[in-house]
Amino acid sequence: MKDAPVIELLHAGIAREPGAEPLLSDVSWHVLAGDFWVVTGSHGTGKSALLETMAGLRPCDGGELRWFGEPVALSLAKDSGRTALRQRVGLVFEGGGRVFSQLSVAENLALPVSYHTGCSLEEALDRTAALRTTLELDRLAAAPAGRVGRAWMQRVALGRALALAPEVLLLDNPVAGLDPSQVRWWQAFLTALSAGNAVTGGKSTTLIVTADDARPWADIGRQFAEVRARSWKVVDGSADPGLSRPAVIQARG
Amino acid sequence: MLAPFRWLDELAGRLGRWVLGKVDTVRQISAFTLITLGVAVTQFGRAPQVVRPLIRHHLVRSGIRLLPIIAFIGSALGLLIIGQTLRLLYQVGQEDLIGSLVVTVIVRELAPLSAALVVLARVGTSTVVELGTSRALGEVEALEALGIDPIHYLVVPRVLGITVAVFALTVYLLLFALVSGWLVSVITQVPLSLDNYLAQIAQALRWQDFPLLAIKSLTLGGVGALIACYQGLARPLRLEDVPGAAARTVSESLVAFLVLDAAFLALQLLTFS
């Protein structure tokens, strides 16, 4: 399973916006299929910018981003010939997941399916019904997504990303501000997703999660990295910052 | 520079910066227009099950829902301009000029401009608020993360819907104005038969009026929609920037409408000379 990298950052700089001073520089990171990365760091260190760069939403400040061996340009979303590649990597934003507030919860999940498969919205709603049930969103299906609680918005964003069955899922601080029962649900769900569950048809999903605190993920993640003071520190297998695995990530601050 | 002329230097500097700022805005809106046209052409037929209902939605919202206000404005124009002028012309024995007057004032000028202004006021501003809020809340990046082109999903349906709506509303506004104008002549007992009234209008119309009216109304609708979408979507916005973007949409669209109106007037003069 672990052969070619699914996502690679090669000597990339990470900046909040083009032209701004980089938050991280010369990052080289190889994410392999089946990995479960947990990237920790305090607020403002550049975790979100790193994830959005890896998702192809921000340009690298130098260097290169590759998905499945192919270079990724910023215009990927606009390139109708490469939508198949785009669908292989999903992103869940932090802080409510940036759900489409004008659409209902069910429509948020159905929109990407309808858009990319050409089926009607009604058909897409049927196709995503099982996913809604798995995410315990059935009772909120008709509610406007902008009016459900923040914890549920985060699940809607997760469902929206999973609706396209991505092979790699990037999650930006998914449990920030959630109560313990919600955190436990996310831990259990992502563990099952990494191992392969009904949502993915039994296939393992490669996961990269960012978090302010590594502790909730210590027993779940398999690879760990820390962003601090414009540099990376890679830790392996636990949240112990003393262990490094430079063969996987190399970066200089 | 000498002290007495320093104010003149500052004034020229301010004026220059203002002009350059406006030129830059026109350049950016032109670039946004070209991008939108490019997306509309290159992604024509992509995701029809999503895009077509959106076009229908914006057509209903910008067209059918505005029919009552268009009926009111059309009737008012007929009452105020056709009815009053007809009565005046009758008093001076020149009622044969009513056809030329209706065609020049209502058909060529006021109908497309009024329809575009109504759509700008009712739909253009709300479009900026919707798109600006989506932009400020990061929903645009969420679309990109799902492989959905924001121009294709958010802008193209709005521009198509609003453009076609302005054209359709122009036609309805004309009909209401013509009917109400004749009704006023009946009520005020001006001896002008419906046949004579319609014959005069038909005589004053030239074949070029039909394509020019269609092009003018479509252009005004398209430009207004593009300015609204540009202000809402093309630049990074925070929530507190959205009201300012809505105000800029109104002022820029008004200026654009008047400039286009002058351009079409020149075109009409060239065509009809």
Side-chain angles (χ1 to χ4, degrees), chain A residues 57 77-78 80 83 86 93 98-101 103 111 114-116 118-120 160 164, chain B residues 43 46-47 49-51 130 137-139 141-149 152-153:
Chain A
L57 299 181
K78 300 172 180 68
S80 56
T83 50
R86 170 79 263 180
F93 292 91
R98 304 188 187 181
V99 295
F100 303 131
S101 49
L103 302 180
L111 174 67
S114 177
Y115 190 90
H116 288 296
C119 69
S120 67
R160 188 178 64 185
L164 294 173
Chain B
Q43 304 202 19
R46 185 183 180 190
Q49 303 279 11
V50 172
V51 175
E130 280 171 14
L137 295 177
E139 293 175 21
E141 286 83 0
L143 283 172
E144 288 178 346
L146 292 166
I148 300 173
D149 184 345
H152 186 233
Y153 179 73

Side-chain angles (χ1 to χ4, degrees), chain A residues 93-234:
Chain A
F93 292 91
E94 73 170 325
R98 304 188 187 181
V99 295
F100 303 131
S101 49
Q102 311 254 335
L103 302 180
S104 71
V105 165
E107 286 167 345
N108 264 268
L109 272 61
L111 174 67
V113 175
S114 177
Y115 190 90
H116 288 296
T117 64
C119 69
S120 67
L121 192 62
E122 291 71 26
E123 200 180 329
L125 288 169
D126 288 342
R127 286 194 199 180
T128 50
L131 181 59
R132 275 202 314 271
T133 306
T134 306
L135 297 174
E136 300 168 9
L137 292 170
D138 281 332
R139 69 186 173 83
L140 297 169
R147 291 191 193 163
V148 301
R150 197 171 165 125
W152 296 104
M153 278 188 198
Q154 203 69 33
R155 284 202 202 185
V156 174
L158 173 65
R160 188 178 64 185
L162 287 175
L164 294 173
E167 294 165 50
V168 182
L169 188 60
L170 314 173
L171 300 108
D172 190 7
N173 225 346
V175 299
L178 300 187
D179 62 47
S181 65
Q182 290 280 353
V183 173
R184 282 194 295 276
W185 182 90
W186 276 84
Q187 289 169 330
F189 187 83
L190 293 183
T191 303
L193 199 64
S194 177
N197 65 3
V199 170
T200 60
K203 279 168 41 181
S204 166
T205 302
T206 306
L207 298 174
I208 303 172
V209 175
T210 63
D212 295 331
D213 182 4
R215 280 171 296 183
W217 306 99
D219 298 328
I220 301 167
R222 288 194 288 276
Q223 293 82 25
F224 293 83
E226 187 179 19
V227 181
R228 185 191 288 177
R230 299 184 60 199
S231 68
W232 283 90
K233 179 170 263 188
V234 180

